[in-house]
Amino acid sequence: MTLRILGAGVMGLALATELTARGHAVELVDPAPAPGPHACSWWAGGMLAPFCEAETGGEIVARHGQPALDWWDQHTGLTHRAGTLVLTLARDSGERLRFARRTTGHRTLDADGIAALEPDLAGRFASGLFYEAEAHLSPRAALAELRARLLAQGVAFHTAPPATQPDLVIDARGLAARDQLADLRGVRGEMLVLRCPGITLSRPVRLLHPRIPLYIVPRGDGVFMLGATMIESDRRGAVTVRSVLELLSAAYALHPAFGEAEVLETGADARPAFPGNLPALRRRGGTLYANGLYRHGFLLSPAVAAMAADHLETGTIPDFMDEAPT
């Protein structure tokens, strides 16, 4: 059976990787010749944080997100397993307590424990939460690695559909699939990339705030990714002044050294999301739709890919298949 995957973002590449590993013949079609700024996964944080993301996504995100750490390790070798540190300013300590109640897989740190994990944050926070079994990766490097490994295995990438007809089409076009999925919506996320040699962090740090939660992900060599806004909008394009001010203010609150950082890059895109903010598989005739990753692209794409492969091989109806095949 020949499978044609539409879209070569994180969902399409994860599908191709999973299906190829199981011995299926696949080809990918994407108008862009390689991963790049056209895809919302290009702007992702790359946090593999199933326990933290359960705070809003619930147990199903934690359960299906945990295998992603091993999956990305197996297929890219780029996973950094250093956990996640969650902090609040003193006035927002209630946010930390609420976050702790809504999540598992953490232990509480005092000021000394925080300093032991992140020496550059010593003396700045009295308490925090450490999610040891979480990880992160560089999304752009991971996308490139998946593509390179698929090419090495002989998988074809096309910028337009070939004339031959596949046995099944898997549509993983993200927000572009709204032409077929009427309930798909965009959720805008904005990010910054900074260079700040004055501070070193070894793991993603989340600074909770009632209005402007921040995460900072180290990329190495004094470079950090800051994100991310969550705006109900499908507007793409440049970041807004408001978002830049909020993200930079939160970073400065984490550590004043960020006040001297260089802004290397700004970016924004719209994440594809369904009502309920969980991904979905939908089978309609000769097309299987895989979409709606929301803010969990790198965390849940391996699970969605595995569920799609299971469905194609055995006919099972997985957790994320939200309507019966037609």
Side-chain angles (χ1 to χ4, degrees), residues 200-266:
T200 298
L201 298 175
S202 300
R203 56 191 49 78
V205 176
R206 295 182 181 228
L207 184 64
L208 303 180
H209 184 276
R211 191 171 61 87
I212 319 162
L214 168 82
Y215 60 74
I216 296 184
V217 186
R219 296 288 192 237
D221 298 323
V223 175
F224 301 87
M225 184 269 193
L226 277 64
T229 58
M230 300 287 293
I231 302 168
E232 288 290 334
S233 169
D234 59 5
R235 187 173 70 84
R236 290 173 156 141
V239 300
T240 63
V241 170
R242 180 193 297 273
S243 294
V244 171
L245 288 172
E246 290 178 343
L247 290 171
L248 291 178
S249 295
Y252 184 79
L254 180 72
H255 198 291
F258 283 110
E260 304 302 320
E262 303 172 59
V263 178
L264 301 181
E265 187 177 355
T266 66

Side-chain angles (χ1 to χ4, degrees), residues 28-43:
L28 290 100
V29 178
D30 193 297
H38 62 280
C40 68
S41 47
W42 188 255
W43 306 106

Side-chain angles (χ1 to χ4, degrees), residues 72-104:
W72 286 105
D73 224 7
Q74 175 186 352
H75 294 293
T76 71
L78 298 174
T79 306
H80 300 280
R81 296 175 183 258
T84 303
L85 181 60
V86 176
L87 301 171
T88 57
L89 301 177
R91 66 174 182 268
D92 299 323
S93 60
E95 291 295 305
R96 184 185 70 252
L97 298 176
R98 181 192 59 79
F99 198 90
R101 288 194 300 268
R102 294 177 62 88
T103 59
T104 61

